[in-house]
Amino acid sequence: MSEKRPAEPGPSPAGKKKKKEVKADMSQAVTEETLQRQIAEAWSTRTPFHHDAIVVDMDPFPHCVIPNFIQNQNFVEELQKELLNLNFHEKCNDLYKFHQSDDLKKRREPHICALRKILYEDFRTWISNISKVNLESTIDMSCAKYEFSDILLCHDDELEGRRVAFILYLVPPWNRSSGGTLDLYNVDEHVQPKQIVKSLVPSWNTLIFFEVSPVSFHQVSEVLCEDKSRLSISGWFHGPSITRPPTYFEPPIPRSPHIPQDHEILYEWINPTYLDMDYQIQIQEEFEESSEILLKEFLKPEKFAKVCEALEKEDVTWNSQGPPNKRFYDKAEESKLPDILKDCMKLFRSEALFLLLSNFTGLRLHFLAPSEDETEHKKEAEAASVDTEEGTSHGFSEPEVDQVVSSNPQSGGQSTPQPEENEAKEESSVPTCHGELRRWKTGHYTLIYDNIKTEFALDLLFYCGCEGWEPEYGGFTCYIAKGEDEELLTVNPESNSLALVYRDRETLKFVKYINHRSLAQKKTIPHRTGFWDFSFVYYE
């Protein structure tokens, strides 16, 4: 009987070099049983709990801060190096701008693997015990890198199955003035975010997690330092879905038909070039080709100067618009506007402008605007008659407009329709509009949200105070197709320019967040911090 001789030590077979195993240990505060019971009790009773090594708070929604989450500092440093070597993709839309890695669940770097193992197994079990939620075995996990002017605006993180969000910070020395804070919002009676009530400053090797719920509104504030990156690993633990409250729908914005105002208001305010009938035909042809147009130097210089002067004087009452998961900008209180600004608002609501917009766009924004059939008939008539002076639009020769808008003052400036016309008008909707005067400054934006109403409409934007404004500042209006991030059209602010954009039910729009780069505008105009626009929407 022979014994098997033990193998002598020697080099491993070629191609089978043993990988160095990397391990990491969580903070003892997480693993200590007594502390775990105290935290679980605090979480279930919704009461704060403060300890040197871990803090649980319930305001404005349940969240927890764990400093020194990984015990071995060398491990964290090596983890940071692995993360910085990843490929990052720029992420940019209405809600955010930053760089993000691919999902980390398939990465093979040793320190990323070791962290993933901790989060998937030990930490997931710990959070399940704390929250009394049966969390699934897999999680979402990626790396985000925020640099100067990057942002993630107000949102609640809610998506099917998300129950707990987490962030592990791997940042250099950081303070509040660096930006990049995790801001937490309280909510109003409609479960809509109200205001920031707590800001958590990122810190090296600190992990924050919070309960994902209908009230977990938060943001990453804009990063304000140009020489540091805000690096973090973040993701979600998944579990059984929770019941959401009924969706809140904002009251519809009131719309109104045009106000009686004859053609004189156009001659008083608008650059005469745009009142030329031939030029209106040219504008309409260009608009029908692309559904958008920019009309520069739209107002007469003297009128535009007076409008800007009134805006600069700050005799306007501005009201902040929210909620912050949908919008944040200032709206003028119209009843308290200086007369010149009230008159400008009247211009955009006037019957004469409704008809002018019809001529620019071919849309039926006035009962005198020709229908498509009438336009085709008119084109045929033009082709048959060399001597005709009629165009495809209803032009603004003075005698003709006098007849159009002054023939029946009691009917709001409209000529009296015949009985047949009355029946036709009852069947069709009356053109309407709504509008506001807005102020845009650093930190302002609008967002696309789930229950936003989409319909056929003509957007009008008229800009003031944009001297020195650059696209990199934000503040531009962006149009995208529903469900897509790719831009269809961008309208950049430009003084005394009128932008017209026709959109359908599949088109959404937002105003891009105005970042701190915009403060450079002061170099051009020392007292200027932003711009204004008159924003109107017209419906056929």
Side-chain angles (χ1 to χ4, degrees):
M1 189 175 186
S2 62
E3 288 187 7
K4 188 175 180 180
R5 292 181 62 188
E8 293 185 9
S12 300
K16 292 189 177 180
K17 186 177 180 180
K18 189 174 181 181
K19 288 185 180 179
K20 180 183 176 182
E21 186 178 0
V22 174
K23 283 192 66 179
D25 295 312
M26 293 187 297
S27 163
Q28 290 182 347
V30 177
T31 57
E32 207 276 309
E33 290 186 9
T34 303
L35 204 52
Q36 182 176 330
R37 285 196 298 270
Q38 292 173 324
I39 295 167
E41 174 68 16
W43 198 269
S44 65
T45 58
R46 295 297 195 252
T47 55
F49 177 82
H50 292 262
H51 184 276
D52 290 344
I54 193 162
V55 174
V56 176
D57 207 346
M58 299 296 149
D59 186 28
F61 49 84
H63 61 279
C64 179
V65 180
I66 308 174
N68 300 309
F69 178 69
I70 300 296
Q71 289 188 38
N72 187 330
Q73 288 300 308
N74 183 63
F75 174 93
V76 186
E77 290 169 4
E78 293 302 315
L79 173 65
Q80 182 192 44
K81 289 177 185 176
E82 290 179 0
L83 293 171
L84 289 173
N85 282 326
L86 297 175
N87 290 322
F88 286 85
H89 312 283
E90 184 178 18
K91 308 283 286 183
C92 185
N93 63 12
D94 61 317
L95 186 65
Y96 48 69
K97 184 176 84 72
F98 63 94
H99 287 78
Q100 187 179 47
S101 73
D102 293 327
D103 197 308
L104 298 180
K105 65 184 175 185
K106 293 183 180 179
R107 301 303 305 186
R108 293 292 175 260
E109 291 83 351
H111 295 82
I112 293 175
C113 286
L115 178 69
R116 188 171 63 222
K117 181 177 173 64
I118 286 176
L119 293 174
Y120 277 34
E121 298 174 7
D122 299 344
F123 192 59
R124 176 179 62 87
T125 301
W126 185 83
I127 288 188
S128 287
N129 293 335
I130 294 298
S131 63
K132 302 297 186 289
V133 176
N134 185 23
L135 298 175
E136 297 170 6
S137 59
T138 56
I139 59 173
D140 298 319
M141 180 176 161
S142 63
C143 181
K145 184 168 60 175
Y146 290 75
E147 295 174 328
F148 179 56
S149 81
D150 286 350
I151 186 86
L152 172 58
L153 294 169
C154 180
H155 63 292
D156 61 10
D157 263 9
E158 277 220 291
L159 200 63
E160 190 69 26
R162 288 181 183 175
R163 294 301 302 270
V164 176
F166 68 90
I167 313 104
L168 175 63
Y169 295 110
L170 301 162
V171 294
W174 205 272
N175 54 44
R176 196 173 297 274
S177 64
S178 301
T181 54
L182 178 64
D183 299 332
L184 312 183
Y185 290 81
N186 60 3
V187 296
D188 62 18
E189 67 276 14
H190 303 298
V191 197
Q192 296 290 289
K194 249 169 82 176
Q195 60 189 18
I196 296 166
V197 295
K198 190 171 187 177
S199 293
L200 302 169
V201 179
S203 179
W204 173 261
N205 193 19
T206 293
L207 186 137
I208 294 174
F209 71 87
F210 59 85
E211 181 179 79
V212 177
S213 75
V215 302
S216 57
F217 288 101
H218 59 284
Q219 73 166 12
V220 176
S221 67
E222 184 183 352
V223 172
L224 304 178
C225 50
E226 298 190 50
D227 58 344
K228 294 189 288 189
S229 290
R230 181 190 186 274
L231 192 72
S232 65
I233 291 176
S234 59
W236 298 271
F237 293 98
H238 294 259
S241 297
I242 59 175
T243 304
R244 282 192 65 100
T247 302
Y248 172 69
F249 293 92
E250 294 180 300
I253 299 172
R255 302 174 185 177
S256 57
H258 62 239
I259 57 175
Q261 199 85 41
D262 66 22
H263 69 285
E264 290 298 335
I265 193 171
L266 304 183
Y267 294 117
E268 180 186 349
W269 280 83
I270 294 176
N271 182 336
T273 303
Y274 295 113
L275 304 183
D276 177 78
M277 187 178 358
D278 292 333
Y279 194 43
Q280 289 175 30
I281 295 169
Q282 184 181 327
I283 289 171
Q284 185 182 131
E285 289 173 351
E286 185 176 336
F287 183 87
E288 289 177 341
E289 189 74 26
S290 58
S291 296
E292 55 93 10
I293 197 164
L294 184 69
L295 306 178
K296 299 187 177 185
E297 305 301 325
F298 185 71
L299 294 189
K300 288 183 173 181
E302 62 274 17
K303 280 293 188 184
F304 182 68
K306 288 180 180 179
V307 168
C308 291
E309 183 183 1
L311 290 167
E312 293 278 11
K313 280 184 177 178
E314 299 188 352
D315 291 336
V316 180
T317 301
W318 299 99
N319 299 312
S320 181
Q321 301 298 292
N325 63 326
K326 297 176 181 175
R327 63 189 71 86
F328 178 46
Y329 62 87
D330 294 335
K331 176 183 174 182
E333 191 169 324
E334 199 166 336
S335 63
K336 297 181 180 179
L337 285 177
D339 288 344
I340 186 70
L341 299 180
K342 283 183 179 177
D343 290 344
C344 193
M345 295 292 282
K346 287 178 184 176
L347 168 69
F348 292 119
R349 291 194 176 100
S350 68
E351 177 177 8
L353 193 85
F354 268 66
L355 184 52
L356 182 63
L357 292 177
S358 296
N359 294 352
F360 285 162
T361 64
L363 299 173
R364 293 276 290 175
L365 295 174
H366 193 282
F367 75 97
L368 285 171
S371 65
E372 289 185 17
D373 290 341
E374 291 169 336
T375 302
E376 287 301 317
H377 179 72
K378 192 172 287 187
K379 285 180 180 178
E380 291 171 6
E382 286 171 353
S385 173
V386 178
D387 298 326
T388 181
E389 294 181 3
E390 295 243 337
T392 57
S393 302
H394 193 99
F396 279 92
S397 61
E398 290 205 33
E400 194 172 23
V401 175
D402 270 332
Q403 184 180 0
V404 169
V405 297
S406 304
S407 58
N408 187 9
Q410 292 182 346
S411 65
Q414 297 181 6
S415 57
T416 306
Q418 297 303 310
E420 298 83 5
E421 293 175 310
N422 275 324
E423 290 173 13
K425 276 198 75 177
E426 285 175 4
E427 291 176 6
S428 62
S429 60
V430 176
T432 57
C433 76
H434 66 75
E436 56 189 4
L437 170 57
R438 308 184 293 187
R439 179 174 67 178
W440 297 97
K441 295 165 56 174
T442 305
H444 285 171
Y445 59 86
T446 67
L447 297 176
I448 292 167
Y449 49 94
D450 289 342
N451 58 4
I452 193 168
K453 185 177 181 182
T454 56
E455 55 191 314
F456 294 98
L458 176 69
D459 293 335
L460 177 153
L461 292 166
F462 179 75
Y463 292 103
C464 305
C466 309
E467 296 79 10
W469 195 264
E470 299 291 341
E472 67 175 8
Y473 302 165
F476 50 82
T477 300
C478 187
Y479 290 81
I480 64 171
K482 191 182 290 186
E484 303 288 337
D485 278 347
E486 187 176 349
E487 297 176 2
L488 300 173
L489 170 70
T490 296
V491 179
N492 288 304
E494 188 173 337
S495 287
N496 200 10
S497 289
L498 185 84
L500 298 174
V501 180
Y502 186 68
R503 54 186 164 87
D504 59 21
R505 290 192 180 97
E506 297 301 313
T507 304
L508 302 170
K509 64 174 179 175
F510 63 90
V511 177
K512 184 62 179 173
Y513 174 85
I514 299 177
N515 60 59
H516 276 69
R517 296 179 192 271
S518 64
L519 299 178
Q521 187 192 27
K522 289 183 178 180
K523 295 177 182 177
T524 306
I525 305 174
H527 60 280
R528 184 71 55 76
T529 55
F531 62 91
W532 303 268
D533 68 17
F534 292 81
S535 172
F536 278 75
V537 183
Y538 298 84
Y539 305 90
E540 290 184 285

